[in-house]
Amino acid sequence: MVPLGPPGTMRGMSDQENPTDVPADGPDLAGRADLMEKVVGLCKRRGLIFQSADIYGGFRSTYDYGPLGVNLLRNVKNAWWEAMVQRRDDVVGLDAAILSPPAVWAASGHLANFSDPLVDCRSCHQRWREDKIDGVCPSCGSTEFTEARAFNLMFKTHAGPVEDEGAVAYLRPETAQGMFTNFANVLQTTRKKPPFGIAQVGKSFRNEITPQNFVFRTREFEQMEMEFFVPPDDAQTWFEYWLAERHRWYLDLGIPEDQIRLRHHEASELAHYSAGTADVEFLFPWGWDELEGIANRGSFDLHAHAEASGERLEYFDQAAGERYTPHVIEPAAGATRTMMAFLLSAYHEDEVGGEARTVLRLHPKLAPYQVGVLPLSKKETLEPLARQVLASLQPHFMCDYDTTQSIGKRYRRQDEVGTPWCVTIDFDSLEDGAVTVRDRDTTEQSRIPIDDLVADLRRRMDAV
Ligand code: ATP
């Protein structure tokens, strides 16, 4: 999001506590202090998220999404795209370049203002983001710091073989500007008219001073952003509409009501051009923190780019015979951060048949695998039928095929990564042409004819 606060103030000077502190009170926090450790452990153990460049000792604050993590992250982004683009006729998609020229960031205000307050500890010389440390050096405990100075968070590079000023380029720190710079292109090519939106999912880069809390705050991350262009008089109505829509999206995908909330910004937190901003917050183990910001940005962005580029970024309303600059409502979410919230809220430990198990109660749409296909025995007699069942499911669902160890252990392994249904092929299957479908949450098992399997699983999926 473009610089918070009035011009000249620094980004992110908000009301957040030090994110490593777990507040003593607050809803449902009891027993969650170790949740982070458990989820991070599970992510590493099961191939959801790896430390980047692990074999070289790791590269701080960058992560690689492993075989299961890439499925989960993709499902989060697909669920967003489905809700924001596929199921609507008033929003279109975009995939803009990550590399961009300084002119874009000069106009947007990022070159001047996209900064955090940086201080050096006078004792151990470590650098910190001032608003995150409560006046005490997390490394040595000193309370003596240098004056805060604005540290710009954009990654600067050079495009082409000459490293001079004329070749400077930036890695985008947000996806949003691509929607503003393409406003006229999209308007002309799609014949959309306000109210309409442009949506984008993709990587963004911020040279965060203190990346922390696993994938919550990293230097390279993914965002899911939409700019919704509206007639100025309708902006407040659409702002409220998007607040409700975005809040509901998280609930629909299984985040419990007491772990998600909307928090309206105080007037002092608002950007000078903003007529209103609210965050969707999730109850992380360290307290409430932001998943998404939804802002009523007025005409700030289109005006800024129109002025800097000399292009007309307006809409001509033929019926009314008037030309105007649309106002913008922006729901801006983090895909990687949201994936982490889904993992935290899905993580459960319970008992099945007197045995402890870990289960990710992920929404089936999000789960890395929807179906685990498990032949009861490795014997060659079951293999051809099991592979046939697998092949019949693969066009419809992301499947895992697992033949190792006992069936009980295989169920536990699927539970631990959130696979909602396991399909077991046993020796009776050869006779009756049916398989056993086991439900992750209830552990109930039912016998289903192989011919009905796809329809049965689809019904279960639609019923969630
Ligand atoms: P914060 O205050 O946490 O730094 P922000 O208010 O600057 O975030 P926005 O610019 O509004 O964030 O970006 C929209 C969303 O992008 C955030 O709500 C968050 O989900 C995600 N996001 C922003 N920065 C990061 C980051 N460094 N790592 C992971 N996700 C991020």
Side-chain angles (χ1 to χ4, degrees), residues 200-248:
Q200 179 168 206
V201 173
K203 290 240 166 160
S204 293
F205 302 81
R206 295 181 187 180
N207 197 4
E208 298 281 359
I209 298 168
T210 41
Q212 63 204 140
N213 289 327
F214 200 39
V215 297
F216 178 81
R217 185 182 306 288
T218 50
R219 297 202 170 107
E220 175 176 346
F221 55 97
E222 280 199 84
Q223 290 189 305
M224 309 182 290
E225 300 192 292
M226 199 268 287
E227 308 304 321
F228 201 70
F229 302 95
V230 301
D233 289 346
D234 300 345
Q236 182 60 23
T237 309
W238 279 109
F239 176 56
E240 282 157 25
Y241 168 87
W242 283 111
L243 291 183
E245 278 295 295
R246 295 304 306 145
H247 186 215
R248 194 168 55 84

Side-chain angles (χ1 to χ4, degrees), residues 37-59:
E37 213 173 294
K38 288 179 170 172
V39 168
V40 172
L42 176 68
C43 284
K44 289 183 181 161
R45 193 169 67 249
R46 295 305 310 273
L48 283 131
I49 301 175
F50 303 123
Q51 177 72 55
S52 199
D54 213 1
I55 60 168
Y56 293 102
F59 186 45

Side-chain angles (χ1 to χ4, degrees), residues 249-257 259 342 345-346 361 363 366:
W249 184 80
Y250 295 92
L251 294 172
D252 286 351
L253 288 169
I255 301 220
E257 242 169 276
Q259 291 176 20
F342 282 124
S345 73
R361 296 194 199 281
H363 192 287
L366 300 181

Side-chain angles (χ1 to χ4, degrees), residues 1-2 4 11-12 14 16 114 116 129 132 173-174 206 208 215-223 225 279 289-293 330 332-338:
M1 193 179 293
V2 187
L4 289 173
R11 188 188 76 104
S14 68
Q16 290 184 1
F114 195 59
D116 277 338
R129 188 171 145 183
K132 295 286 182 193
E174 60 171 29
R206 295 181 187 180
E208 298 281 359
V215 297
F216 178 81
R217 185 182 306 288
T218 50
R219 297 202 170 107
E220 175 176 346
F221 55 97
E222 280 199 84
Q223 290 189 305
E225 300 192 292
D279 289 343
D289 217 333
E290 175 182 336
L291 282 185
E292 169 164 355
E330 176 193 73
T336 37
R337 193 180 281 189
T338 297

